[in-house]
């Protein structure tokens, strides 16, 4: 597999060098990544569950969404920045890692699901905004979102066990989740 | 002594079992992170309501009733998954400075939330307009910062020597 030159270029960049050389950069950046990913998951879960009719409430869906928006997006942006820092530090390895690629695919799916919900499904929101169980399309979006974001977190953890270099993780010898070699 | 205990635990049947099934630790770590999302965000929602940043149209009892059960249930799942992770890698955990600090802060955090929930006055519970005292607001915010520290320390276990230098045994 050939690695695009952009991957090797970012790997040689100053931030990548800092990530590799500083003792504390990796644990601190990873901890912020875990924290912000957890906030993204947790805040989205509140909206998703409401879409699925839990809790049994007539509280406006758009209001719940609006209240959480800044926390979800704030955490998401920090998560992307810390994620990019982790990526550039070992860009070639991540690029070739199947779990990493699956995670990017899952993130893309999450984005598509959200876009469809925001741009299409929510056109009719006025008629189900305060329903205990909203329209079928909205319930579907909520269920899909829970599944996709859960997958993102599971696949993300899998990257650490398959990426092929050791950064803090002590990988037992019997662990071999290398998806790239069938 | 702790190291001896960890070394002994590592040789027990249950620990060997966890070590021998390769997917257990990654799956439990993922579950642990999902629970961080549920517990931390639930705690954050309760705190934001206490300081008046969110759901101020609802009485505190409604917000507490919505998020506290998720927080406690998430904590139970988190503790159980954490326990199996400890059994599977006892030396890694018990020799980490971050692990012991994390456990200490966890005890403080859970105790403070428990006390907070138990000592609420009825009027602050049922009225949407009742204000919390400055002390309670500070206590609620302190809990969020405690969780932040706990999450950081959790990740730092994997990097204990780098984070703590000579303190790491």
């Amino acid at each position: 597999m050939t690695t695009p030159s952009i991957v090797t270029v970012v790997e040689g960049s100053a931030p990548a060098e800092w990530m590799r050389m500083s003792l504390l950069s990796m644990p601190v950046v990873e901890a912020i990544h875990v924290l912000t990913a957890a906030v993204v998951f947790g805040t989205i879960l509140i909206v998703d569950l409401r879409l699925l009719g839990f809790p049994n409430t007539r509280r406006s869906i758009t209001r719940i969404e609006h209240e959480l928006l800044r926390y979800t997006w704030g955490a998401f942006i920090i998560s992307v920045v810390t994620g990019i820092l982790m990526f550039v530090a070992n860009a070639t390895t991540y690029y070739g890692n199947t779990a990493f690629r699956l995670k990017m695919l899952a993130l893309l799916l999450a984005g598509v699901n959200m876009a469809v919900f925001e741009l299409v499904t929510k056109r009719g929101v006025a008629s189900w905004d305060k329903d205990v169980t909203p329209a079928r399309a909205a319930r579907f979006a909520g269920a899909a979102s829970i599944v996709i974001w859960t997958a993102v977190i599971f696949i993300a953890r899998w990257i650490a066990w398959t990426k092929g270099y050791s950064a803090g993780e002590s990988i037992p010898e019997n662990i071999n989740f290398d998806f790239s070699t069938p | 002594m702790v190291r001896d205990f960890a070394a002994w635990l590592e040789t027990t049947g249950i620990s060997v079992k966890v070590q021998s099934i390769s997917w257990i630790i990654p799956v439990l770590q993922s579950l642990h992170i999902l629970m961080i999302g549920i517990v931390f965000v639930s705690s954050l929602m309760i705190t934001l309501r206490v300081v008046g940043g969110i759901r101020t149209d609802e009485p505190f009892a409604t917000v507490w009733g919505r998020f506290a059960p998720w927080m406690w249930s998430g904590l139970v799942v988190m503790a159980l998954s954490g326990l199996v992770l400890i059994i599977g890698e006892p030396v890694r955990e018990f020799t980490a400075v971050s692990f012991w600090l994390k456990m200490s802060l966890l005890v403080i955090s859970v105790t403070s939330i428990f006390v907070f929930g138990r000592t609420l006055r009825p009027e602050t519970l049922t009225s949407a307009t009742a204000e919390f005292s400055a002390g309670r607001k500070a206590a609620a915010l302190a809990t969020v910062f405690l969780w932040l520290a706990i999450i950081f320390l959790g990740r730092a276990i994997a990097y204990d020597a780098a984070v703590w230098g000579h303190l790491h045994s």
Side-chain angles (χ1 to χ4, degrees):
Chain A
M1 181 177 51
T2 51
T3 308
S5 58
I6 176 81
V7 176
T8 36
V9 168
V10 296
E11 199 167 38
S13 65
E17 186 69 9
W18 173 73
M19 283 296 291
R20 285 190 299 267
M21 297 313 288
S22 158
L23 267 183
L24 290 179
S25 61
M26 205 59 101
V28 170
V29 168
E30 274 187 21
I32 296 173
H33 194 68
V34 170
L35 168 69
T36 50
V39 171
V40 169
F41 173 75
T43 51
I44 288 179
L45 184 64
I46 293 171
V47 179
D48 292 340
L49 288 171
R50 173 66 186 88
L51 289 174
L52 289 170
F54 186 88
N56 187 347
T57 174
R58 295 193 170 276
R59 189 173 174 80
S60 157
I61 292 163
T62 45
R63 177 167 183 164
I64 291 175
E65 248 197 317
H66 185 74
E67 280 174 337
L68 296 170
L69 211 58
R70 68 179 89 166
Y71 301 101
T72 310
W73 279 109
F76 184 76
I77 290 165
I78 300 171
S79 212
V80 169
V81 172
T82 50
I84 289 172
L85 282 172
M86 286 154 71
F87 175 82
V88 297
N90 293 284
T92 316
T93 315
Y94 281 115
Y95 179 77
N97 180 274
T98 309
F100 175 79
R101 292 178 172 201
L102 282 173
K103 182 186 173 185
M104 293 304 113
L105 187 67
L107 281 173
L108 185 71
L109 269 178
V112 170
N113 182 51
M114 181 192 69
V116 171
F117 177 69
E118 293 296 329
L119 301 174
V120 182
T121 313
K122 267 179 78 179
R123 278 187 200 153
V125 69
S127 62
W128 45 262
D129 195 25
K130 294 188 174 183
D131 288 0
V132 173
T133 44
R136 184 190 291 267
R139 296 204 301 273
F140 177 82
S145 171
I146 293 177
V147 172
I148 297 168
W149 283 107
T150 303
V152 166
I153 289 181
F154 269 81
I155 300 168
R157 199 74 279 264
W158 237 259
I159 299 172
W161 296 84
T162 57
K163 63 187 174 347
Y165 70 87
S166 174
E169 305 287 350
S170 56
I171 299 175
E173 281 171 20
N174 58 337
I175 295 263
N176 181 14
F177 295 120
D178 191 353
F179 295 109
S180 61
T181 48
Chain B
M1 195 182 80
V2 172
R3 190 178 277 275
D4 290 343
F5 175 73
W8 167 80
L9 186 58
E10 205 169 36
T11 61
T12 58
I14 183 166
S15 179
V16 172
K17 187 81 192 158
V18 174
Q19 293 164 44
S20 69
I21 306 171
S22 57
W23 50 263
I24 287 190
I25 288 177
V27 165
L28 287 178
Q29 286 180 341
S30 305
L31 188 65
H32 207 70
I33 295 173
L34 286 182
M35 292 305 123
I36 294 174
I38 290 173
V39 173
F40 179 70
V41 169
S42 300
S43 167
L44 184 66
M45 292 298 120
I46 292 167
T47 297
L48 285 171
R49 174 61 185 83
V50 170
V51 298
I54 210 169
R55 291 181 184 243
T56 42
D57 58 320
E58 290 184 322
F60 182 73
T62 309
V63 179
W64 179 262
R66 168 70 186 84
F67 292 108
W70 283 82
M71 183 175 64
W72 294 127
S73 316
L75 265 173
V76 170
V77 178
M78 217 183 325
L80 292 175
S81 55
L83 188 65
V84 181
L85 287 171
I86 293 169
I87 292 170
E89 298 181 304
V91 176
R92 176 194 199 244
E93 308 290 338
F94 288 155
T95 58
V97 179
S98 301
F99 172 78
W100 294 107
L101 270 176
K102 177 184 172 181
M103 290 303 121
S104 313
L105 295 187
L106 195 60
V107 171
I108 298 172
S109 180
V110 171
T111 310
S112 69
I113 296 173
F114 187 75
V115 172
F116 187 95
R118 278 302 188 83
T119 54
L120 286 166
R121 291 204 311 273
E123 62 269 27
T124 38
L125 275 171
T126 49
S127 158
T129 51
E131 275 270 329
F132 283 90
S133 67
R136 277 200 179 270
K137 286 181 180 177
L141 282 172
T143 313
V144 170
F145 285 107
L146 274 176
W147 284 130
L148 290 179
I150 289 165
I151 294 165
F152 266 82
L153 289 166
R155 192 75 283 254
I157 293 171
Y159 295 91
D160 211 60
V163 174
W164 297 105
H166 68 280
L167 283 175
H168 175 78
S169 47

